[in-house]
Every structure is written in structure tokens, then in C-alpha cells.
Amino acid sequence: MQRRKLGNQGLEVSAQGLGCMGLSEFYGTLTSDEASIALIHHAFDLGVDFLDTSDIYGPFTNERLVGRAVQGRREAVTVATKFGLERNPDGSFVGFNGRPEYVRQACDASLQRLGLDHIDLYYQHRVDPNVSIDETVGAMAELVNAGKVRFLGLSEAAPHTLRRAHDVHPISALQTEYSLWSRDPEDIILPTVRELGIGFVAYSPLGRGFLSGQIQSLEDLEPDDYRRHSPRFQGDNFAKNLELVEQVAEIASSRGVTPSQLALAWVMAQGDDIVPIPGTKRRKYLEENVAAAALELEPKDLKRIAAVMPTEAVSGDRYDRRGMGAVNQ
């Protein structure tokens, strides 16, 4: 697999990463830890060396899983994790926390769960509106100086926040949702990160699975799958969005690829500073996703995709009202 740079500080990763969240929570029935570790190892064998996790996934169990998976391969793997959204052991959310003392505590706790002596890329998961970004990133910079973290990142941060943070300490990556049906970063965010020399990590590049074409109704989702409560999966939004996906599937078929592969190739074609991190629990879909990294879309393909999936085509917000209040902050 080709490699891409994230930022100007020396971080380089596989052109496609692996989002590990779904291995521990949110997307229905889980596989065993052994099966999940085998999946991650297969990703390594396919050339993926960039793993994405967070302290809240599980909660608290996904970091342990990733830590087990990288044992014996540490030097060849880039591990990214996050802090800033507090959860209780029962899974309930406490809220945002960007206080400097919490930054230090959260990092130490993540290192312990991961079983590592340093974190390669450490993100603030969501910006805390009650704490100056200067204070939060200042504390994160201290972790770099202490050797506990190599590179810094933010997730779902607004352009003005990115600028202030980058003035305190170089930010190597911004992680924000980006896909054929989440195009909002294109207006201001992508130009800002490119101006500042910050890499862009695209999470949910398959629209939480919708762009795969595998979800035809809510009944295809398990009762505890959180997507059942996502606005884009509700009522008329679902029907309208399914029509869009069907048109994308037709283009994919004409290229002899799956809708997922076309959607991933589209994200990767938007710039060599963009690294998507699709997640999956199945070996088949992992191999399918990785194969998309070698798919080159021609100008006529991009034109056809733009015609059926324009910027504002998707119906519904990507989160509920509470979730939307935490993005682009």
C-alpha cells in the first residue's frame, strides 16, 4: 500500500487506516477479541499500519484490544487514540473535558490500557467549549516534551480553533467525518488544514456503512445498533439517501467494483493529504476496503459521481442535535 504524510512534522502512515471503534461498540453484535485481533493482524499483512481508537470506545476496552494486537509489531504500527469525551464505566456520557490536569490523566490511563510507552498520534476527541484550546493543547504539548506522545491532533475542530491550536504546538492531523455524503469539510476546513500544513483523517468514509449498499432497511441493523437513531437512517431521510446510494452503486458496477470501493476511492482522490479510516468486523470487507486504495478514478468517473451525489444531496444531519453541537467547534 502507498503511504501518505500527515502534517509537516514527520508523521507518515499507510494511505488507508483501520478504524477500530466498531470492534468494541456501537455497531451491533461483537466478534470475540481473538477474532478482532486476527482481523487487525490481517490488516497489517495487507499493508495497513495506522490504527485508530479512543479511550471511550467500549468504554475503555478498545484501547486494550488494540494494545494486544500491536504486541510484537509495535515499531511497524502507528497507533492513534483520543481523549476529551468522558464516560462512566456503565457507558453513560459525562461530557467534554479539556482541562490540562485531565489531559495528563487521560494520557496516562490510555498508555496503561494500550500497554505502550508512547502514543503516536494523540487527538482531542471533541473541543471543550469551557476550556481555552490554548490550555488544552499546551498540556498536550507537555506530553510530547515528556516523550509520552509523538504527534498531536484534533477531531471535529473549527478552522479558528485549528489556527489557535497550531500556534501553541504544531498539529499534525485533523480528524473529521468526510465521505460522499458528508461534504461539509470542503468549504472551509480542508482549505484551512492545507494552508497550515495539517493532514486530514477522514472517519466514517463509508457513511457508517450506508454507502456500501448493504443496508436496504432499518431491519438490516440489529436492535442495539446506534445507527437506528441516526437522522440519516430515519424515515424519509433513509428512503432519499437509499436512492442516492443506488445511483452510486450503478457507477461502481460500471467500473467493476463495489459501492464501498468506489466511495473510498473517491475520498482518497480528493487529495494525497487525506487518509480514510474505514472500520469493519469482517475479513471480507477489510480486503475489499484495502483493495480500494489501488483504484484510480478517472475524471469521467468523478464527473459521474458528482452528478448523482452533489454536495447537498444527502438528507438529514449526521448526528442528533446534541451530537451536532459538538462538531466544528
Side-chain angles (χ1 to χ4, degrees), residues 96 125-127 155-158 176-177 184 189 203 208 318-329:
F96 310 109
H125 206 153
R126 290 292 187 273
V127 175
S155 181
E156 292 286 0
T176 293
E177 183 172 352
D184 37 321
I189 293 175
Y203 76 82
R208 292 177 172 77
R318 52 193 179 104
Y319 289 109
D320 61 17
R321 185 175 64 179
R322 180 182 179 186
M324 289 302 296
V327 303
N328 197 30
Q329 295 298 307

Side-chain angles (χ1 to χ4, degrees), residues 215-326:
I215 303 171
Q216 296 293 308
S217 75
L218 278 185
E219 299 311 308
D220 292 329
L221 303 175
E222 296 182 45
D224 60 344
D225 192 311
Y226 100 100
R227 289 173 291 186
R228 282 179 168 266
H229 307 288
S230 173
R232 291 183 176 177
F233 287 76
Q234 302 298 309
D236 290 342
N237 290 341
F238 188 102
K240 292 177 181 178
N241 293 335
L242 187 59
E243 290 179 4
L244 295 174
V245 172
E246 289 172 348
Q247 295 181 72
V248 171
E250 289 180 8
I251 299 174
S253 178
S254 72
R255 281 297 313 266
V257 299
T258 68
S260 292
Q261 289 175 323
L262 188 78
L264 281 173
W266 180 88
V267 171
M268 299 182 75
Q270 304 312 301
D272 59 10
D273 54 350
I274 297 176
V275 177
I277 50 169
T280 183
K281 291 179 283 190
R282 300 184 185 182
R283 185 183 180 109
K284 171 187 174 182
Y285 295 141
L286 171 66
E287 294 174 346
E288 181 179 306
N289 292 344
V290 169
L295 175 61
E296 294 188 13
L297 298 180
E298 300 176 1
K300 63 180 181 180
D301 297 320
L302 296 172
K303 187 175 181 179
R304 290 181 66 193
I305 293 169
V308 303
M309 187 74 87
T311 304
E312 303 295 334
V314 174
S315 297
D317 288 331
R318 52 193 179 104
Y319 289 109
D320 61 17
R321 185 175 64 179
R322 180 182 179 186
M324 289 302 296

Side-chain angles (χ1 to χ4, degrees), residues 142-156:
E142 292 176 3
L143 299 175
V144 175
N145 294 332
K148 295 181 178 182
V149 171
R150 293 180 62 214
F151 302 98
L152 301 185
L154 299 179
S155 181
E156 292 286 0

